[in-house]
């Protein structure tokens, strides 16, 4: 979960690297470093702490101007976040510099071997063993690309490596094994990055390396081979957002900005996919015949994406009448799931790089299942490893806590559910048209929700000393409750749990004591009268035991009024669409409460945006 950037060109290497790192800091932010080729040596600066620490050190004592450099932002795995453990690491007596994302699983054996042969190590990282090995390979081959080819064969685990050698100025070599690496193509300059945000400010033209490939960039060229040296031509694409989309603008945090972008994220995910009365999806090889032959769907995802999947399950099952399971991606392959060519495994991932989800997709493919990715990041690994992709177009999400991506993930699954229902003939055209019409209303309804959040702000300030918050929901409100709890614990460090309302009497009600705050996600009384009355009973049960109830309820739902201390209103919509609106007050509540506590909402402790290790 580290961020990687490499550059060759004459734009001002350190500035390019720092710009790239500032975009990648979401991937890891406990230390950072850069190095450039300076004449016949390597100039390097690396610092524990956030990127700002490195930046101010470079302002105080700049590195020399150079046309070649690499930079890294780290999320510690092997060794604490110290200056020594920060990347880059050196090899070949300080003439080679290397950065790394991922984990080198056999580093202990490699290190022992290298130490026995006289190498001295300066850090506790797994990375340094790769730097030393690459340095030795360079001494044997005299060429960094050849040396990289030799070195990757000795490494186990998953990794992206970038390296440069003082004897080859103007060259950066990268290698990728089960870890992302993208090339950015400029005029007289080239870039490498963990994702396109590393270089999108300078060029929209990009290509993602396939697994087990090596890339060599100079100012004028970018050449790719496999690990055996066979040339390959990566497929280029144009990034469909510009770098201003990943700027904070005037917002106090990326999370605040991203919550406000929910309506546009939903609009963009639906754009070009809704016809007047239906849905128009092109899922490539997963064509009508294949999808009609699907007997079962398993959705794999982690965290917030998995909660969106729970909403997707309800919608797809109800509309297309296909059994749908949701699996946490990290549990999926370890339970030896039953898979065949009639099973569709849908992965959901904002980043498209989550290791657990990627491994689940690989496992599904290896067992003959069909694979579809619902992903927010162009050129990411998971969509490339899936047979088809439905991109959500939520735009870049920088804050660690996922918000607008959740909305877009739900929309992506609703679109897929309607597409499948149409193909399988399980819904009438009128029924589909009714849902499509309601979906079109969602962006404006979201704007309305966002415009009326004063009571959430007040609530969050009033509750800033609260130590525990519970969330209840039923049906599609249950994943909303889980998401509300995750968001709160993630950025405000308050203990929070989400429960299904029906589960209350099976245990969790024991937690209710006078003053306990409980958010209740209330289904629409018009859409689901039975469920609505059940949740009103749940509210009465917890109120009777002294809980303070905050209800998220539809406009006009009067039945909750006598029992709720606070009611947060959301507009009327159809049942499967409710989560898109209901989740927003919960996201804002978490954001406001963490802000009231003075916490860094964009970079919560111990977390990174992209979890690229298992
Ligand atoms: C929570 C959050 C995480 C991610 C999870 C999956 O706010 O951001 O729970 O949802 O790590 O990440 P992606 O969607 O990138 O696979």
């Amino acid at each position: 979960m580290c961020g990687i950037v490499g550059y060759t060109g004459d734009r001002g290497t350190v500035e390019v690297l720092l710009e790239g790192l500032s975009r990648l800091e979401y991937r890891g932010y406990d230390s950072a470093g850069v190095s450039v080729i300076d004449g016949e040596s390597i100039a390097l600066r690396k610092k524990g702490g956030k990127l700002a620490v490195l930046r101010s050190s470079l302002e105080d004592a700049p590195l020399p101007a150079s046309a070649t450099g690499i930079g890294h932002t780290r999320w510690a795995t092997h060794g604490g976040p110290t200056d020594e453990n920060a990347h880059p690491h050196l090899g070949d007596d300080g003439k080679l510099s290397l950065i790394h994302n991922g984990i080198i699983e056999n580093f202990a054996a490699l290190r022992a071997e290298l130490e026995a042969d006289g190498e001295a190590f300066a850090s506790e990282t797994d990375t340094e063993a790769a730097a030393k090995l690459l340095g030795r390979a360079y001494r044997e081959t005299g060429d960094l690309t050849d040396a990289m080819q030799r070195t990757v064969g000795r490494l186990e685990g998953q990794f992206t490596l970038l390296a440069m050698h003082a004897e080859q100025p103007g060259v950066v070599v990268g290698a990728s094994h089960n870890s992302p690496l993208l090339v950015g193509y400029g005029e007289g300059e080239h870039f490498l990055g963990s994702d396109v945000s590393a270089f999108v400010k300078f060029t929209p033209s990009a290509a993602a390396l396939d697994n087990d490939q090596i890339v060599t960039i100079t100012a004028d060229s970018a050449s790719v081979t496999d690990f055996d040296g066979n040339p390959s031509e990566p497929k280029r694409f144009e990034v469909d957002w510009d770098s201003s989309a990943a700027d904070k603008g005037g917002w106090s945090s990326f999370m605040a900005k991203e919550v406000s972008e929910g309506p546009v994220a939903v609009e963009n995910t639906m754009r070009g996919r809704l016809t007047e009365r239906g849905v128009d999806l092109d899922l490539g090889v997963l064509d009508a015949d294949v999808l009609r032959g699907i007997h079962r769907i398993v959705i794999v995802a982690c965290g917030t994406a998995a909660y969106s999947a729970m909403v997707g399950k309800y919608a797809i099952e109800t509309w297309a009448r296909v059994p749908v399971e949701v699996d946490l991606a990290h549990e999926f392959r370890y339970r030896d799931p039953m898979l065949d060519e009639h099973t569709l495994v849908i992965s959901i991932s904002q980043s498209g790089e989550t290791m657990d989800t990627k491994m689940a997709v690989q496992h599904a493919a290896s067992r003959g299942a069909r694979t579809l990715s619902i992903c927010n990041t162009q050129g990411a690994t998971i969509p490339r490893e899936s047979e088809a992709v439905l991109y959500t177009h939520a735009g870049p999400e920088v804050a660690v806590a996922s918000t607008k991506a959740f909305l877009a993930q739900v929309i992506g699954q609703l679109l897929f559910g309607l597409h499948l229902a149409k193909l399988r003939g399980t819904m009438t055209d009128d029924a589909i048209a009714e849902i499509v019409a309601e979906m079109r209303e969602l962006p404006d309804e979201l704007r309305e929700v966002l415009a009326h959040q004063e009571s959430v702000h007040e609530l969050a300030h009033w509750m800033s000393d609260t130590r525990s918050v519970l969330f209840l929901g039923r049906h599609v409100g249950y994943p909303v409750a889980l998401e509300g709890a995750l968001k709160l614990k993630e950025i405000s460090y308050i203990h929070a749990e989400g429960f299904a309302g029906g589960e209350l009497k099976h245990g969790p009600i024991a937690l209710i004591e006078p003053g306990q705050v409980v958010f209740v996600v209330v289904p629409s009384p018009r859409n689901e009268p039975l469920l609505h009355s059940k949740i009103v009973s749940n509210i009465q049960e917890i109120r009777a035991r002294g809980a303070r109830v905050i209800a998220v309820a539809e406009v006009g739902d009067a039945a909750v009024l006598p029992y709720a201390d606070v009611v947060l209103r959301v507009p009327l919509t159809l049942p499967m669409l409710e989560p898109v609106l209901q989740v927003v007050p919960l996201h804002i509540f978490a954001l406001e409460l963490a802000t009231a506590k003075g916490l860094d909402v964009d970079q919560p402790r111990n977390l990174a945006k992209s979890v690229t290790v298992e």
Side-chain angles (χ1 to χ4, degrees), residues 25 355 360 531 556:
E25 206 183 8
M355 179 59 73
L531 273 179

Side-chain angles (χ1 to χ4, degrees), residues 301-307 348-355 357 377 382 397 399-403 405 409 483 486-487 490-491 607-611:
C302 302
T304 288
Y307 299 147
I348 304 194
S349 175
Q350 188 288 128
S351 62
E353 299 297 347
T354 301
M355 179 59 73
T357 309
T377 308
I382 294 172
E397 200 179 58
V400 163
S402 194
T403 53
Q409 286 161 350
E483 167 65 2
L486 174 65
K487 214 79 340 168
E490 187 179 12
I491 60 168
L607 290 169
K609 180 77 180 156
S610 205
V611 187

Side-chain angles (χ1 to χ4, degrees), residues 26 29 258 397-402 490 601-604 607-609:
Y26 73 84
Y29 37 80
E258 287 158 11
E397 200 179 58
V398 178
V400 163
S402 194
E490 187 179 12
V601 297
D602 287 338
Q603 298 184 337
L607 290 169
K609 180 77 180 156

Side-chain angles (χ1 to χ4, degrees), residues 12 84 232 260 270 342 389 605:
E84 294 72 29
S232 170
S260 82
M270 295 191 300
H342 299 295
V389 55
R605 69 183 180 204

